[in-house]
Amino acid sequence: MFEYAPAPESVRPQIKEHYGIFIDGEFVDAESDFKSVNPATEEVLFTVAEAGEADVAKAVAAARRAYETVWGPMSGTERGKYLFRIARLLQERAREFAVAESLDNGKPIKETRDFDVPTAAQHFFYHAGWADKLAYAGHGGDPKPLGVVGQVIPWNFPLLMLAWKIAPALACGNTVVLKPAETTPLTALMFAELCQEADLPPGVVNILPGAGAAGAAVVGSAVDKVAFTGSTAVGRAIAKAVAGSKKKVTLELGGKAANIVFDDAPIDQAVEGIVNGIFFNQGHVCCAGSRLLVQESVADDVLERLKERVATLRVGDPLDKNTDIGAINSAEQLERITALTEAGRGEGADVWQPACDLPEQGFWFRPTVFTGVQQSMRIAQEEIFGPVLSVLTFRTPDEAIAKANNTPYGLSAGVWTEKGSKILWAAERLRAGVVWANTFNKFDAASPFGGLKESGYGREGGRQGLEAYLDV
Ligand code: NAD
């Protein structure tokens, strides 16, 4: 492997020492604050006001006013202009947002720079285009918005999940109260500043940082719809909380995707896809290919090449442009990954990790590959949400499908084969919302994304994703 000299990112965003809650177009303070920490160094980046129930009620009232007086009555063409403006501002400040995301989340700059921020901007451009064409989206000739939408998002793609939520909601004529995750509020707060810069009418977007209690307050408030992305456990609690109310709900939850490599697959490409599938974003990906199902006849070859490739991954400083795997987002998440990895060892699976140095400060986990994994093991069933791959083998295509479908989740899957007929055969049988063929972790604003079974319901992106924000 070549040795690379460090290539640190030089741009530094203007991070304030303290941020307020963003309600009705302004930052305001709250009764208590919390800290946001850089997971790569454990240094405090800034403090931020924590939204309580009263703040949520104020934000919902502001969003209701904005919906009734400005945003609801506004023509789709005018709304589209605001969305285009937001998209362009995001592009103009792309590098600043990318660095901020890496600092607050721990993910490598090459991912925030080349994936998170451009994909978030694309989501606003795409939905800006829909704002005046909703009558042609296949949801009726005169589709109406729902009103005020409460949105709660996780920490793994903070800005991108915000874009997936806010862009379609605004395009359809709704106003928004959004709660970012407690460990990653920075880019949502910078987005609030960007809304001010775009002259978005006050109250159309409200950002309420806080923890689970703030999320529960948003869910329980007088919103017309709840859109949630996060764990299945919290998704279940939200479904219970809104049952019997008139609130519409969409849930984007966890996953335990199978990445299936058949014996006729192009092995080198498949190895790249396996690596991307599980080590992208430290494995903090709902649709991560966390279970590799490889056909027995090629398993030794695939594993040998996989280990060779994983040994070249660079783990370390998220702001170094060479870094492949950054920091784990929080001490809690590191604990969860460590506990599940220990469970895998305890249940008798074989563990392999490359020899790589980890920084002394911060939260880190080596890329990990488990072999000899059985279906019943926790590492084959539970979402680890970290850089840990569980490898299982199969002999026949039917066995691959049976094993792939044998989890409570149904978010995504991957199929590697040179035969188009086998791709179609497998895609028909896989119980997953998204199936990638000879690739993995590909996203596009025009393509709907979402789950089956315990991975949730509703779609985000594409023509289909608009339905979640329209009264249809
Ligand atoms: P989490 O469920 O713990 O938290 C998600 C959000 O919900 C956070 O903002 C949190 O503060 C809030 N929250 C916590 N308790 C709440 C409650 N009782 N009521 C309302 N809100 C509450 O999940 P996480 O650890 O932040 O994120 C990881 C999970 O998200 C993984 O399971 C992952 O698969 C899932 N995820 C899914 C998708 C998808 O599109 N399907 C995308 C990204 C992440």
Side-chain angles (χ1 to χ4, degrees), residues 153 155-156 179 182 215-216 228-231 252-254 286 383 385:
I153 56 171
W155 47 262
N156 58 339
K179 192 200 84 67
E182 49 272 49
F228 173 74
T229 297
S231 61
E252 299 281 354
L253 310 176
C286 49
E383 186 181 41
F385 223 56

